[in-house]
Amino acid sequence: MARPEAAAVVSFGYFLVPNAADPLLETARSAEALGLEYVGIQDHPYQRRFVDTIALSGAILAATSTLRVFPDVACLPLRPPGVLAKTAASLDVLSGGRFELGLGAGAFWDAIEGYGGQRRTPGQALAALGEAIEVIRRLWSGDRGLRFEGEHYHLRGVHSGPLPAHDLGIWVGAYGPRALALTGRLADGWVPSVNADVLRRLPELNERVDGGAVAAGRDPAAVRRVFNVGGTITDGVSEGYLAGPVSQWIDELTVLAAEHRADVLVFGGPPSQLRTFAEQVVPAVRAALP
């Protein structure tokens, strides 16, 4: 379903790999200076080369003034939801409302278990994700004496706070049918990484998110579509989906926004191509949209 108002709502960001050896704050400041609105940060705590995603989020928020930041997406099995809720709300307060919470049920279970997390089956991971969203929302409610008893998480008489500075979103990274339905039912955003295979399935995947929203009595438009678009901007001929010249990127991102309802497009190319993306691709996509 095409969206006639796409140009008015689509935002752009950069996908940051938190490699400790890279100039991470400089890259984030460059993204802001180039007019991008978001930075999404990969979260794999067990990766020895990476700085911590939440710590980096705070550093970026302190080093910028307009940039919005989110984990893309936070590894729930290694981040207890009660503490994650407190951390997210704190970052939002300290930044004046510039943090969003990307959240994932978990992957790479050998690494998670090796780092002290609990290995979960797909069903357990999905159940834990649903419980975590409930815990987080309660801890952002402003209520006191909170109680929740789940199979994986609980709250027993705790008080919520601090309250987020804005209507802080929970954006879920998901692909499976049940996870997509949960996203539509409970989340504020959906964060897939789009490749050629995902592109072919996007109508079906969007419909599953919409179906979950409708079944819960929600407007499907309340679930933002935040698409990671990793690839390379080349000087020559196309080398495949999201691997080609600027003109190809303009065409392919325009389709994602106009036909597949992308609200945020997060570029995952090398930092050396950030300026090309921001100065040549982004304005042309905006101009191509209705």
Side-chain angles (χ1 to χ4, degrees):
M1 178 175 61
R3 187 174 49 173
E5 74 282 10
V9 299
V10 67
S11 300
F12 295 87
Y14 184 65
F15 181 82
L16 192 60
V17 178
N19 191 335
D22 293 343
L24 300 170
L25 296 183
E26 179 183 335
T27 300
R29 284 191 289 260
S30 295
E32 180 180 54
L34 289 166
L36 299 186
E37 295 129 301
Y38 288 92
V39 160
I41 307 171
Q42 184 180 122
D43 186 37
H44 293 290
Y46 35 75
Q47 170 54 262
R48 68 179 183 84
R49 296 180 179 85
F50 291 178
V51 300
D52 179 70
T53 292
I54 302 300
L56 178 58
S57 296
I60 289 174
L61 289 167
T64 59
S65 58
T66 62
L67 202 63
R68 308 184 72 85
V69 179
F70 67 101
D72 194 357
V73 288
C75 180
L76 177 62
L78 291 175
R79 300 191 182 276
V83 176
L84 191 57
K86 168 79 79 168
T87 301
S90 300
L91 288 171
D92 201 52
V93 168
L94 294 170
S95 67
R98 292 189 287 124
F99 186 75
E100 308 291 348
L101 180 57
L103 191 60
F108 306 105
W109 291 104
D110 288 345
I112 288 170
E113 188 176 46
Y115 217 69
Q118 180 182 6
R119 184 184 295 270
R120 291 169 175 161
T121 66
Q124 290 169 336
L126 187 64
L129 177 62
E131 290 181 15
I133 293 174
E134 179 68 20
V135 166
I136 292 166
R137 291 209 190 282
R138 292 192 186 203
L139 288 170
W140 292 345
S141 69
D143 295 336
R144 298 171 64 85
L146 297 170
R147 294 190 177 276
F148 172 79
E149 292 294 333
E151 182 180 350
H152 302 279
Y153 303 114
H154 64 260
L155 297 172
R156 294 172 183 165
V158 302
H159 305 327
S160 62
L163 301 186
H166 84 296
D167 189 11
L168 203 162
I170 299 176
W171 298 352
V172 171
Y175 298 94
R178 292 187 299 161
L180 292 168
L182 180 145
T183 300
R185 186 169 71 251
L186 299 177
D188 303 295
W190 173 43
V191 192
S193 293
V194 181
N195 55 28
D197 178 61
V198 171
L199 177 67
R200 287 190 290 269
R201 299 169 55 212
L202 263 183
E204 170 207 343
L205 302 180
N206 263 321
E207 286 178 7
R208 290 188 182 278
V209 174
D210 291 349
V214 170
R218 305 178 67 203
D219 180 356
V223 185
R224 304 191 73 194
R225 271 61 173 180
V226 183
F227 293 170
N228 293 317
V229 285
T232 306
I233 302 171
T234 69
D235 293 327
V237 299
S238 173
E239 299 173 8
Y241 185 65
L242 297 177
V246 165
S247 58
Q248 177 181 330
W249 275 83
I250 294 168
D251 291 342
E252 291 173 345
L253 296 194
T254 299
V255 168
L256 289 176
E259 298 182 17
H260 298 291
R261 297 149 52 196
D263 294 293
V264 183
L265 291 165
V266 184
F267 175 59
S272 60
Q273 297 186 343
L274 183 54
R275 180 174 294 275
T276 300
F277 178 76
E279 293 184 344
Q280 298 184 39
V281 177
V282 170
V285 173
R286 291 192 193 279
L289 292 170

